[in-house]
Amino acid sequence: MKFTELAANLDKMEATRSRNELVRILSDVYRASAADELEPLTYLIQGRLAPFFEPVEIGLGQMLLITAIAMAYGAPKEEVIKLNRQAGDLGLTAQRLAPASHRESPSVVEVHQRLSQIAAAGGAGSMQKKLDGFTSLLGDVDSVSAKHLVRMTLGKMRLGIGDPTVLDAMSFAKRGDRSLRPILEAAYNRTSDLGLIARTLWDSAEAGLEKLKVRAGHPLRPQLAERLPNPEAVIKKLGTVGVQPKYDGLRVQIHKEGGKVSIFSRNLESMTEMFPELVDAASGLKVQSVILDGEAIAYNPESEEYVPFQETTARRRKEGIQEFAARAPMRAFVFDVMFRDGSDLTPMHYEQRFEIVKELVRESDTLMTAPLMTTDSADVLTRELLDNISRGLEGVVAKRLDSPYQAGARNFNWVKLKRNTSGQLTDTIDVVLLGYYRGKGKRAEFGAGALLAGVYDGDKDEFVTISKLGTGLSDQGWRAIHQRLASLEVAEKPARVNSTFVPDAWLEPAIVVEVLADEITPSPRHTAGMTGDGPGFALRFPRIVSLRTADKKPEDATSVREIREMFEQQRQPGRGRSG
Ligand code: AMP
């Protein structure tokens, strides 16, 4: 496939307001592609050159791209900057400046190769090499291609396609319907690599997908926890449970493969560079290959206290990692193992996996086993919960002892119990910002009045509204958030957003905000959980608690299914007695 053909399809995807259309167009692209094009194509449409967990970056930021555009099209840099300010999108800017091209378009594979060479350029003079490489690539493509090429390089596709849309498109391309989605999803949960899945499906069909197994070096999607309102409900539903402290840090998946250690975040990005002390500790594990799951948290060796989540994540900035590691070193509490020396351990019972964790993780100051106690008593569980809260932890996670590790699933194998604020919702909700209202008076000065917020419907790959947010931020907080909103503004409602509200400005779903509310109530206007003529759900008295952008993608926001469950739980008698 020529790159120009892909770009024309990306244009169609950008223009549509319908999710079904998105799937249809993308499935056409898959159908028209040759086997060796599937991987590059899949990564490029995600604004990547490789799967998310591989830390391959093109390494050309906004300013360098501006220089490349100026060089490629013989325009003064100031003009590019000015146009970009007007357009608010560097892709559009490139498209406007690009002359009509009559050259033959390079292929998708060639573009991917050339971008990969640019990414690989390192050492002295590498910036110049990257610039030259990109300038020449821009010179070889037409204007619509230039737009998408620039967006790919920035990693901002503005298409609104999430993983479920890509999986649906593959299923449609092969079968004409969604029937392959479950098997595709299962393979994705084990491998986290959409490109690999596309190629495998085309090369060796469903049987090939079944053979894609968990392996060290490739993150699997983490098992997630469900909620229940109180210890009584947990014991009633799960019977005997294993109970662990719930640490408020960052989820880490630690992989060791021979001498190589990699660490991945909850959303599967590589964090290996960020945690040198965890890498050291994992290198010392007496095992050839292993995948461990745990929670990393920074602690202050002097006060022997854990450092709050916000500070733990401050390490994301590349500078000062060593300094951070000295001042607030990381500890990882390991609570699971999914793979060891060539064997997939995910089908094993948790009890057995935890025994292996204890065997592998000889206590050190850095890698520790998360303590596990077993009980079938609601009283004991309540005591554990209160005890952990009083020690400054978030709460506990109760685990079904005979459960397998279900990659990517949120179910009752794990249940989280947190501090309970007397009768109110037991947990915060993670919402995605979908739009904003300009507001009046002081608020207008900050640039944003109320925010329109939504949750995620994973089945439909759609964001649905649940609330307007107007409280919880300081003046400075509002100013800061508005600055971030500006770059996410889009002219029309994104295809994946389903809303009856029309805010003053729509946003590309990207920012996740943690919200506390008093209650979930039925709502005739909000689309979260709306069915045919049944009402949706809304939040009562919502207030912003924190901006959780560091570790959550929009698709990691609270799901409609969770909201429905929280709504049901609210009505159960006896809620809110713990904590
Ligand atoms: P939440 O993010 O509120 O859905 O809670 C689940 C998260 O709690 C997991 O993704 C982990 O990052 C974190 N966590 C902390 N301690 C534990 C533990 N002992 N077992 C499982 N997850 C834990």
Side-chain angles (χ1 to χ4, degrees):
M1 179 180 285
K2 297 283 177 210
F3 190 78
T4 182
E5 196 184 324
L6 172 63
N9 278 297
L10 294 178
D11 247 24
K12 281 196 231 158
M13 289 164 77
E14 195 186 347
T16 181
R17 301 285 135 238
S18 143
R19 185 4 227 165
N20 288 342
E21 256 313 276
L22 273 182
V23 172
R24 195 193 56 74
I25 300 164
L26 189 54
S27 71
D28 283 348
V29 172
Y30 272 114
R31 223 175 272 125
S33 298
D36 66 332
E37 294 170 333
L38 295 165
E39 276 173 295
L41 163 78
T42 305
Y43 303 133
L44 287 174
I45 58 169
Q46 300 179 90
R48 301 277 309 160
L49 296 176
F52 272 94
F53 60 81
E54 278 182 27
V56 178
E57 301 296 338
I58 297 176
L60 284 170
Q62 171 118 343
M63 271 331 279
L64 286 166
L65 284 175
I66 286 175
T67 309
I69 292 168
M71 281 179 0
Y73 304 138
K77 224 166 133 175
E78 293 66 41
E79 192 190 331
V80 183
I81 293 173
K82 195 170 133 214
L83 254 180
N84 182 44
R85 206 173 298 131
Q86 286 165 2
D89 168 10
L90 200 52
L92 269 182
T93 306
Q95 182 180 20
R96 284 184 192 159
L97 286 167
S101 162
H102 305 289
R103 292 206 207 184
E104 170 120 9
S105 166
S107 67
V108 170
V109 172
E110 181 186 335
V111 168
H112 181 267
Q113 271 164 359
R114 286 169 70 178
L115 287 174
S116 301
Q117 278 161 10
I118 295 172
S126 62
M127 268 312 143
Q128 196 57 45
K129 268 189 227 150
K130 284 178 193 281
L131 255 183
D132 293 345
F134 196 77
T135 307
S136 109
L137 191 50
L138 275 179
D140 289 346
V141 300
D142 61 279
S143 60
V144 173
S145 297
K147 172 171 79 177
H148 295 290
L149 189 59
V150 167
R151 288 180 180 172
M152 284 166 184
T153 306
L154 285 170
K156 285 203 186 122
M157 296 303 290
R158 296 181 171 247
L159 292 175
I161 39 175
D163 304 340
T165 298
V166 180
L167 294 175
D168 272 352
M170 290 179 200
S171 179
F172 267 95
K174 274 287 168 200
R175 279 277 184 84
D177 58 27
R178 282 201 171 80
S179 57
L180 283 176
R181 173 80 182 269
I183 180 172
L184 286 165
E185 208 164 283
Y188 183 48
N189 286 338
R190 295 191 299 271
T191 61
S192 315
D193 186 343
L194 288 173
L196 173 69
I197 285 172
R199 202 195 63 205
T200 308
L201 177 62
W202 262 253
D203 281 355
S204 46
E206 287 108 294
L209 291 176
E210 303 271 12
K211 283 196 201 120
L212 288 178
K213 293 289 180 222
V214 174
R215 59 178 159 144
H218 289 230
L220 54 159
R221 301 186 70 216
Q223 157 99 45
L224 299 169
E226 265 288 357
R227 299 174 167 86
L228 281 173
N230 53 42
E232 289 80 7
V234 173
I235 298 296
K236 191 162 163 231
K237 187 154 183 99
L238 276 73
T240 304
V241 287
V243 189
Q244 272 170 347
K246 185 172 193 301
Y247 304 94
D248 189 17
L250 280 172
R251 186 78 176 261
V252 282
Q253 209 176 93
I254 303 172
H255 290 236
K256 178 177 188 243
E257 201 190 358
K260 187 167 174 253
V261 173
S262 339
I263 298 181
F264 302 102
S265 70
R266 171 196 162 101
N267 50 34
L268 312 173
E269 278 169 281
S270 166
M271 299 202 299
T272 314
E273 303 291 321
M274 248 171 82
F275 298 137
E277 62 274 56
L278 297 186
V279 173
D280 275 354
S283 308
L285 292 172
K286 302 261 174 295
V287 62
Q288 185 58 28
S289 63
V290 74
I291 306 179
L292 299 172
D293 199 353
E295 186 87 352
I297 185 161
Y299 79 108
N300 178 337
E302 273 157 39
S303 64
E304 297 198 340
E305 278 174 341
Y306 290 104
V307 171
F309 175 80
Q310 300 293 354
E311 256 184 77
T312 302
T313 57
R315 269 219 217 179
R316 295 204 156 239
R317 282 179 273 116
K318 289 225 162 61
E319 321 84 57
I321 286 179
Q322 291 301 342
E323 183 210 333
F324 247 111
R327 190 159 48 83
M330 279 286 172
R331 274 185 174 167
F333 289 92
V334 178
F335 48 71
D336 222 315
V337 58
M338 295 84 104
F339 184 86
R340 180 176 64 170
D341 289 338
S343 309
D344 177 1
L345 307 184
T346 57
M348 259 186 190
H349 287 178
Y350 182 55
E351 215 164 7
Q352 295 163 309
R353 298 200 308 277
F354 190 72
E355 285 305 312
I356 299 177
V357 170
K358 285 199 287 191
E359 206 180 287
L360 284 169
V361 179
R362 305 265 166 223
E363 299 297 298
S364 72
D365 252 1
T366 307
L367 281 191
M368 309 169 105
T369 311
L372 182 81
M373 60 91 67
T374 304
T375 185
D376 61 356
S377 145
D379 287 342
V380 175
L381 181 54
T382 304
R383 236 183 6 249
E384 275 297 301
L385 174 66
L386 294 179
D387 183 41
N388 277 294
I389 290 171
S390 69
R391 285 166 44 218
L393 293 157
E394 244 195 325
V396 294
V397 183
K399 299 181 176 178
R400 207 187 272 274
L401 293 167
D402 59 0
S403 62
Y405 190 97
Q406 279 177 281
R410 188 188 288 284
N411 57 30
F412 290 95
N413 289 347
W414 295 5
V415 177
K416 57 188 171 185
L417 274 174
K418 296 203 211 175
R419 197 188 335 256
N420 185 330
T421 38
S422 61
Q424 299 182 339
L425 280 182
T426 48
D427 198 0
T428 54
I429 292 168
D430 292 326
V431 297
V432 189
L433 302 185
L434 303 175
Y436 68 87
Y437 297 85
R438 295 201 200 284
K440 298 196 186 79
K442 193 166 157 199
R443 281 290 176 73
E445 233 177 83
F446 303 148
L451 304 162
L452 181 63
V455 289
Y456 184 57
D457 185 332
D459 295 331
K460 298 191 191 138
D461 193 15
E462 202 172 71
F463 295 96
V464 281
T465 72
I466 190 158
S467 190
K468 287 186 192 170
L469 301 175
T471 52
L473 288 178
S474 63
D475 290 0
Q476 201 200 348
W478 281 106
R479 271 196 202 98
I481 209 168
H482 182 249
Q483 273 177 2
R484 304 209 18 220
L485 299 185
S487 66
L488 295 169
E489 226 178 286
V490 285
E492 283 178 76
K493 184 180 75 57
R496 279 201 298 169
V497 174
N498 173 358
S499 170
T500 64
F501 291 90
V502 181
D504 293 331
W506 290 107
L507 298 170
E508 197 179 308
I511 301 184
V512 177
V513 168
E514 190 181 5
V515 170
L516 196 63
D518 281 6
E519 209 183 345
I520 296 172
T521 54
S523 157
R525 296 199 59 200
H526 281 290
T527 43
M530 216 177 237
T531 48
D533 17 277
F537 295 115
L539 301 181
R540 195 166 120 92
F541 299 133
R543 52 232 177 247
I544 298 175
V545 184
S546 76
L547 308 179
R548 299 234 17 173
T549 43
D551 69 333
K552 293 202 174 163
K553 287 205 258 185
E555 292 84 2
D556 293 323
T558 303
S559 65
V560 169
R561 193 167 61 87
E562 287 176 88
I563 295 287
R564 178 167 290 115
E565 276 163 12
M566 290 167 87
F567 178 72
E568 302 289 331
Q569 285 170 13
Q570 261 176 198
R571 302 205 234 177
Q572 285 169 14
R575 82 192 169 90
R577 273 190 282 136
S578 66

